Amino acid sequence: MSPRIRKLLTVVEETREEMGRPVDPPTRRAAAIAVIQNPFAGRYVEDLSDLMAIGAELGALLAAQAIEALGIPGTAVQSYGKAALVGENGELEHAAAILHPLLGAPVRRALGKGAALIPSSKKRSGPGTPFDIPLGHKDAAFVRSHFDAMEIRVTDAPRANEIVVAIALTNAGRPLPRIGGLRADEAKGDDGLR
């Protein structure tokens, strides 16, 4: 089953200054977002494999769009995250099915790696609800400078029978990180943790 996409959006955020200090190079975050029809809205369905297949297709599409928006090669992406917002006639398990590892595989392929789990969030609400895409380093979950989130909202989605699916990618961690811990340039990225 392929997704019925009503709308695609891309949001890019670039931070050039923080607390009066220059951020050089600027940190960039891009979120690629799809508003899709929920094929299981309003009814209980035991087998959610169709939504998992939709997730795989959206993973490839949204990763490509976010990489293009960042303007860097996929291999230069440092952190990632995923999120879904389900309309009122859906259930959180619909979001979980789309965000299943089948969505993550094409994202990792587009980045050339991705040893760490892709942080995710799920929520159910109506049009215009803000939601966060959690972010973490793509290869080493213990890189503290990359613990972050990107807030997004789509003013007219999700409608009751829709799901908003989003992937966020970054070129760096937070601007001016200084709380210690494992640095990105120290990460080995073998086990997804360090």
Side-chain angles (χ1 to χ4, degrees):
M1 175 181 284
S2 288
R4 279 190 52 197
I5 298 172
R6 177 170 69 86
K7 182 182 282 196
L8 291 170
L9 300 89
T10 305
V11 177
V12 178
E13 178 183 304
E14 181 174 288
T15 302
R16 297 178 173 214
E17 184 179 301
E18 185 76 20
M19 298 300 290
R21 294 180 173 264
V23 177
D24 188 26
T27 60
R28 291 175 54 85
R29 302 190 290 191
I33 307 151
V35 178
I36 67 166
Q37 181 180 9
N38 182 349
F40 300 142
R43 60 192 174 102
Y44 179 84
V45 175
E46 186 66 34
D47 180 0
L48 298 178
S49 57
D50 284 344
L51 285 174
M52 294 177 200
I54 285 172
E57 193 169 327
L58 289 176
L61 172 68
L62 297 177
Q65 290 192 330
I67 290 167
E68 182 179 346
L70 280 177
I72 60 176
T75 55
V77 168
Q78 289 194 19
S79 64
Y80 55 19
K82 58 188 178 180
L85 179 61
V86 180
E88 65 183 274
N89 289 341
E91 58 178 300
L92 288 179
E93 199 65 5
H94 297 162
I98 285 180
L99 298 178
H100 181 277
L102 290 180
L103 177 139
V107 173
R108 288 180 171 86
R109 276 193 300 278
L111 304 183
K113 199 170 180 184
L117 290 173
I118 303 175
S120 69
S121 69
K122 301 150 200 72
K123 189 173 183 177
R124 180 171 44 198
S125 195
T129 300
F131 65 106
D132 290 335
I133 307 168
L135 294 165
H137 192 279
K138 71 174 183 175
D139 294 317
F142 288 172
V143 176
R144 290 184 198 155
S145 59
H146 289 56
F147 296 170
D148 203 355
M150 184 173 183
E151 183 182 70
I152 60 168
R153 77 183 188 98
V154 181
T155 56
D156 67 343
R159 296 174 180 165
N161 297 334
E162 291 181 331
I163 304 172
V164 178
V165 182
I167 291 176
L169 305 175
T170 76
N171 73 336
R174 294 183 312 277
L176 310 177
R178 56 194 185 277
I179 63 167
L182 182 68
R183 293 191 329 254
D185 62 353
E186 299 171 329
K188 298 206 181 340
D190 296 329
D191 61 4
L193 299 176
R194 298 182 188 276

